[in-house]
Amino acid sequence: MSSTTTEDRADESPPSLWDWGLKVAASVGLAGMLCCVAPAVLFAVGLMGGIYAISFADLFYAPDGSAGLGAWLLRGVAALVGLVGTWLYHRRQNQCSIDPARKRKNLALFALLVVVLGTGFYLSFEELTTWYFNEYIVPAQQAEYESMSGT
């Protein structure tokens, strides 16, 4: 009788380039845009008002609207998430495959996939949150200011 289970055999299979790539790239994009995605989601579910959502997002940007220290720190975290994801993929791949040429090719493809898709996710999140802020959060912020000023 064998002591290995179905789960043990599943762990021995090589990691899927696309599955791992999509997961890591989405994590990279989300980590890079957390400054805007988090307040948009919290506003959408009603846990944050318009004024607070915009002031939270503004913490990451300079007064002129350019990326501030916080935005660059989030981008650094995103790069770190990509590097850690690539390292984990490489480590998992080393446990499953003995062909060094195949491992190098897959690692290069994985890194390219993470960079391209991670950038795509980042830019998509940026565009989506910009639209959401302009469409919903800014009008809510203006309404909150008007109700506070009594006009």
Side-chain angles (χ1 to χ4, degrees):
M1 186 156 136
S2 175
S3 64
T4 60
T5 64
T6 307
E7 290 177 16
D8 292 338
R9 277 182 259 131
D11 286 342
E12 293 172 6
S13 65
S16 168
L17 182 72
W18 285 103
D19 288 347
W20 275 71
L22 285 173
K23 289 175 189 175
V24 172
S27 299
V28 165
L30 186 59
M33 281 306 296
L34 199 58
C35 61
C36 298
V37 172
V41 169
L42 292 173
F43 177 83
V45 297
L47 295 176
M48 182 183 287
I51 292 173
Y52 190 71
I54 289 177
S55 57
F56 178 85
D58 282 346
L59 290 173
F60 296 91
Y61 293 95
D64 66 353
S66 64
L69 178 62
W72 285 107
L73 287 173
L74 284 179
R75 292 171 185 167
V77 168
L80 186 62
V81 167
L83 289 172
V84 168
T86 303
W87 176 75
L88 289 172
Y89 176 82
H90 176 64
R91 198 168 137 219
R92 173 79 186 268
Q93 179 179 275
N94 277 344
Q95 295 173 352
C96 302
S97 177
I98 58 172
D99 182 11
R102 181 176 171 264
K103 287 192 296 187
R104 281 192 302 275
K105 180 183 83 172
N106 282 350
L107 188 60
L109 286 172
F110 182 81
L112 180 66
L113 189 67
V114 168
V115 168
V116 170
L117 291 180
T119 302
F121 277 117
Y122 173 85
L123 294 174
S124 297
F125 285 137
E126 181 179 38
E127 190 65 31
L128 182 63
T129 56
T130 298
W131 167 81
Y132 190 80
F133 265 77
N134 290 335
E135 191 71 24
Y136 296 103
I137 297 177
V138 170
Q141 175 207 29
Q142 292 169 348
E144 289 172 22
Y145 274 139
E146 287 173 9
S147 69
M148 290 170 49
S149 66
T151 56

